[in-house]
Amino acid sequence: MSIINFANKIVNAPNMLASTLSSKQGAQKLAQLPFDTFERRCGFNDDLRKLILNFAKKIEGARFIGQGAEAKVYDLENGFVARIDRTHRLIDYQEQNKTGYLLSNQEASFFKNEKFKILQDNFGGRNFGQPLAESEDGLVQIARKVAGNKMYVCGSDDPQIYMKKLENYANLPDETLEAFIKDVAFINQKGYRIDQNNPENFLYDITTKRIGIVDIAQKEEDLTIIDEPFGHDWIVAALVNEHDVHKVYRKASRQDRQKMLRTIKRLEERIIPICKKQGVPISKWNSRNYLPTSILNVLEQQKVDYSYDLLGQIIYDKYPNRIKSYEKFLKSNGLKYKL
């Protein structure tokens, strides 16, 4: 069992849901346009029209490029991707038959009678991987492809690989960080949120030196309120791979643990002034909104003993009601608090 799986077990479900967002939720709430109206207004979308009208043929041979908790993503032609919900019968078929990453003719036939509705663009033509069209049952979405490579791979906990990436991102140009924070602020202002916990939602384009964002979700509360925990910690979380920080720390040498936390703090110091400038709140910890694995816990940890598990130190310091669960986790997995 991973550190993250442990955290998921010891945290109340409502809190966990607050930090796990899906683009499907947002898509279902987007206003829809009749197809003929869309055609008249958006003539540049001829490629999308052709894709929708012949989707089963177009998706044949599509390459699997990523996944989240709720969907798998396939690369289509002409700069589009298909996001297929994990409850779709294709996914069950694939898992049962252990097929490869290219959709076969037989798999593409699952979409033979698929019908789509066009979704209104709420982002003024800016591309955050938001769905452009959705199947009638809501299980298939078509979106524009976002350029770049995954900043981190979810579940990767090799300290050497992680430290190299972390150092690279901590030294990104000011212009790159500011553009990224501007994008997050824009998404916030539109009433949406990034999913900071999945590192595969952030793509770095080495050519443009821009960080792309995918899998945004509509905030379900009052859309005029932009407040914690949707603050600067979400920016840091994306840049440092919040999802795997604790696993990497556990495997790293004492020297790398020190370097890792110092680099994360240095990166936070760089982004705080930009966040203030762009209207992204500076978050403060509270017991209601934050998981033990949240990067804000790491940022606010004043004293760290590098001989002990970082997650354990956070739990003993801030989450006394979860100590027994943490100790049970260690024992059941043959792990120790003192590393």
Side-chain angles (χ1 to χ4, degrees):
M1 183 187 295
S2 70
I3 295 289
I4 296 298
N5 287 339
F6 156 69
N8 288 343
K9 288 195 169 194
I10 64 173
V11 175
N12 292 330
N15 286 346
M16 186 167 67
L17 289 172
S19 66
T20 306
L21 307 175
S22 71
S23 60
K24 180 182 174 184
Q25 292 171 323
Q28 290 174 330
K29 295 188 177 183
L30 290 174
Q32 296 162 7
L33 294 173
F35 190 85
D36 58 342
T37 304
F38 175 85
E39 245 187 321
R40 289 197 302 271
R41 292 182 184 177
C42 307
F44 67 91
N45 268 299
D46 285 345
D47 288 335
L48 177 61
R49 179 179 60 83
K50 293 174 184 176
L51 176 59
I52 287 173
L53 293 176
N54 200 15
F55 186 74
K57 184 65 178 175
K58 297 290 187 180
I59 201 172
E60 184 179 336
R63 180 172 58 90
F64 170 81
I65 57 173
Q67 62 186 320
E70 296 186 351
K72 292 189 176 183
V73 182
Y74 296 82
D75 192 7
L76 303 172
E77 62 182 23
N78 295 323
F80 294 104
V81 298
R83 183 182 184 276
I84 302 175
D85 195 281
R86 284 184 177 274
T87 62
H88 193 284
R89 57 198 179 110
L90 167 74
I91 307 302
D92 287 337
Y93 172 87
Q94 285 187 316
E95 290 175 351
Q96 290 168 11
N97 292 278
K98 297 181 180 179
T99 55
Y101 286 96
L102 293 179
L103 285 182
S104 67
N105 175 273
Q106 186 174 359
E107 290 169 331
S109 69
F110 278 94
F111 305 96
K112 187 174 181 180
N113 298 313
E114 204 77 72
K115 294 182 180 179
F116 289 86
K117 47 198 174 189
I118 300 298
L119 303 176
Q120 181 175 308
D121 177 16
N122 287 356
F123 300 96
R126 294 170 70 170
N127 184 18
F128 302 110
Q130 67 269 24
L132 304 174
E134 183 179 71
S135 63
E136 290 184 323
D137 60 11
L139 298 181
V140 183
Q141 296 173 347
I142 298 172
R144 284 167 58 195
K145 187 176 181 180
V146 176
N149 296 312
K150 300 170 188 173
M151 292 180 68
Y152 299 93
V153 177
C154 191
S156 176
D157 57 3
D158 184 302
Q160 290 185 329
I161 295 174
Y162 175 84
M163 291 302 300
K164 184 176 180 181
K165 286 178 174 286
L166 177 63
E167 193 66 34
N168 286 341
Y169 300 140
N171 291 310
L172 286 172
D174 289 342
E175 294 78 11
T176 299
L177 294 178
E178 181 148 15
F180 177 51
I181 293 168
K182 275 184 177 180
D183 283 343
V184 176
F186 176 79
I187 290 167
N188 283 354
Q189 289 161 8
K190 291 293 183 180
Y192 287 72
R193 298 290 179 255
I194 62 173
D195 179 1
Q196 90 296 351
N197 190 247
N198 184 350
E200 299 189 15
N201 289 336
F202 306 95
L203 312 172
Y204 183 63
D205 187 337
I206 194 170
T207 303
T208 62
K209 294 183 170 56
R210 291 291 297 262
I211 298 173
I213 301 169
V214 298
D215 201 16
I216 59 176
Q218 194 167 18
K219 185 171 182 266
E220 296 192 5
E221 296 90 345
D222 185 347
L223 300 186
T224 64
I225 299 174
I226 301 173
D227 203 355
E228 300 165 1
F230 307 103
H232 85 287
D233 55 316
W234 283 44
I235 305 288
V236 178
L239 296 172
V240 308
N241 187 3
E242 174 186 81
H243 187 276
D244 297 309
V245 159
H246 293 286
K247 290 190 293 183
V248 174
Y249 179 94
R250 176 170 278 278
K251 287 190 172 185
S253 66
R254 182 186 179 93
Q255 182 179 2
D256 278 345
R257 289 172 193 162
Q258 292 177 321
K259 185 178 180 182
M260 173 181 169
L261 297 191
R262 289 171 182 170
T263 304
I264 290 172
K265 285 293 292 181
R266 175 164 55 87
L267 185 53
E268 182 194 30
E269 290 169 359
R270 287 190 66 195
I271 67 129
I272 281 180
I274 307 174
C275 287
K276 289 179 177 178
K277 178 181 174 183
Q278 298 300 329
V280 175
I282 306 306
S283 298
K284 296 295 182 183
W285 181 85
N286 64 70
S287 59
R288 185 185 73 250
N289 286 330
Y290 288 96
L291 307 177
T293 51
S294 165
I295 198 64
L296 192 64
N297 283 313
V298 176
L299 297 173
E300 292 200 343
Q301 199 72 6
Q302 297 300 312
K303 284 185 66 176
V304 175
D305 187 330
Y306 296 103
S307 299
Y308 290 84
D309 178 34
L310 179 60
L311 180 61
Q313 292 179 73
I314 290 169
I315 288 174
Y316 284 125
D317 183 34
K318 290 186 173 180
Y319 301 89
N321 60 316
R322 293 170 182 157
I323 291 174
K324 287 186 178 179
S325 297
Y326 168 72
E327 291 176 343
K328 184 178 179 181
F329 157 76
L330 292 179
K331 185 176 180 180
S332 63
N333 288 276
L335 302 174
K336 295 182 179 179
Y337 173 45
K338 183 172 176 58
L339 302 177

